[in-house]
Amino acid sequence: MMTGQGSYMAPAGGNPAVAVVGQHFMAPYPVDLNIVRKMLTISEGNFGVTDANGNIMFKVKGKLLISLRDRRILLDAAGNPILSLQQKLMGVHRRWEVYRGDSKDLKDLLFSVKKSSLLQFKTQLDVFLASNTSEHHCDFKIKGSWFERSCTIYAGNSTVIAQMHRKHSVSSIVLGKDKFAVTVYPHVDYAFIVALVVILEEINEDRSSED
């Protein structure tokens, strides 16, 4: 089911089993995650991810390099680094590369993400596993509207593996928080999905740049 650089395959049920970060981040049932983005702070740890019961599952912190958006680290609840998300500024398409742990070594590259096209009215991102060096076809695709927090993640171009939608609450508005939910389908790596959502946010918050 999984290689050193991530993979997906179709099990007997027909739905894809996705293990990009690790099989221990997979469940045989849908996983509902709540993601809270603090909009009024630039401090580290501006993303928090909880399960349906409010238990912290992941945290995201930034590395203050050239800009606040250069690098993100996905941590587990205990603060251990799971993934390093690095923005690559070379080329016409701005690209995010994701490495295992806190690494920046090419051998630890798991996948990369870029816009499907330079000009878009709706969000469309292409995701390539590290093993897909030709990039003739993407391994995963993200489509939807970030403004409405309504996006769908597909394996290939057609099989849904996760969906995102906004969660409204009075406390979220008062506290300056943007809260949205992600439903991760059974047998899908939810650490991988969280990393995609973080990159989706970064790319859409950086629209004023020429990427």
Side-chain angles (χ1 to χ4, degrees), residues 16 18 20 33 35 111 113 123-127 138-146 150-165 180-185 188-201:
V18 177
V20 175
L33 301 175
I35 300 179
F111 62 94
V113 183
T123 299
Q124 283 205 45
L125 304 179
D126 292 339
V127 183
C138 63
D139 297 290
F140 304 92
K141 185 174 279 286
I142 304 170
K143 298 179 182 179
S145 169
W146 172 256
S150 177
C151 292
T152 303
I153 301 174
Y154 301 86
N157 284 297
S158 58
T159 304
V160 178
I161 59 172
Q163 292 185 303
M164 182 178 81
H165 61 274
F180 49 99
V182 178
T183 298
V184 184
Y185 283 34
V188 173
D189 183 336
Y190 47 83
F192 170 60
I193 299 299
V194 169
L196 293 181
V197 171
V198 173
I199 292 172
L200 176 65
E201 190 268 350

Side-chain angles (χ1 to χ4, degrees), residues 11 15 24 35 45-46 48-49 53 57 61-62 77 92 107 119 130-131 140 148-149 154-155 179-180 183 199 207:
N15 294 322
H24 53 293
I35 300 179
N46 58 341
V49 183
N53 297 317
M57 297 183 66
K61 72 174 185 178
V92 177
K107 68 178 176 59
L119 298 174
S131 56
F140 304 92
E148 297 171 358
R149 301 299 188 268
Y154 301 86
K179 187 174 184 180
F180 49 99
T183 298
I199 292 172
R207 278 183 172 177

Side-chain angles (χ1 to χ4, degrees), residues 46-181:
N46 58 341
F47 261 98
V49 183
T50 67
D51 63 15
N53 297 317
N55 301 309
I56 291 288
M57 297 183 66
F58 302 104
K59 293 176 284 187
V60 180
K61 72 174 185 178
K63 291 276 187 164
L64 302 181
L65 301 176
I66 299 173
S67 75
L68 292 175
R69 294 191 177 92
D70 278 339
R71 197 160 182 243
R72 293 285 182 260
I73 306 295
L74 181 67
L75 310 168
D76 64 15
N80 301 307
I82 299 171
L83 296 172
S84 172
L85 291 65
Q86 179 75 48
Q87 186 175 194
K88 187 176 181 181
L89 300 177
M90 298 171 61
V92 177
H93 287 276
R94 191 163 302 194
R95 177 187 291 253
W96 281 81
E97 295 180 335
V98 180
Y99 299 82
R100 190 176 298 283
D102 197 8
S103 177
K104 290 188 286 186
D105 195 312
L106 189 60
K107 68 178 176 59
D108 294 315
L109 178 66
L110 292 176
F111 62 94
S112 61
V113 183
K114 70 178 183 67
K115 285 186 177 181
S116 302
S117 60
L118 288 176
L119 298 174
Q120 353 183 293
F121 297 101
K122 290 276 190 175
T123 299
Q124 283 205 45
L125 304 179
D126 292 339
V127 183
F128 303 95
L129 295 174
S131 56
N132 182 2
T133 55
S134 68
E135 297 190 356
H136 292 316
H137 302 283
C138 63
D139 297 290
F140 304 92
K141 185 174 279 286
I142 304 170
K143 298 179 182 179
S145 169
W146 172 256
F147 178 76
E148 297 171 358
R149 301 299 188 268
S150 177
C151 292
T152 303
I153 301 174
Y154 301 86
N157 284 297
S158 58
T159 304
V160 178
I161 59 172
Q163 292 185 303
M164 182 178 81
H165 61 274
R166 187 190 293 273
K167 295 190 74 171
H168 294 283
S169 70
V170 174
S171 62
S172 294
I173 297 171
V174 171
L175 295 175
K177 295 179 179 180
D178 184 13
K179 187 174 184 180
F180 49 99

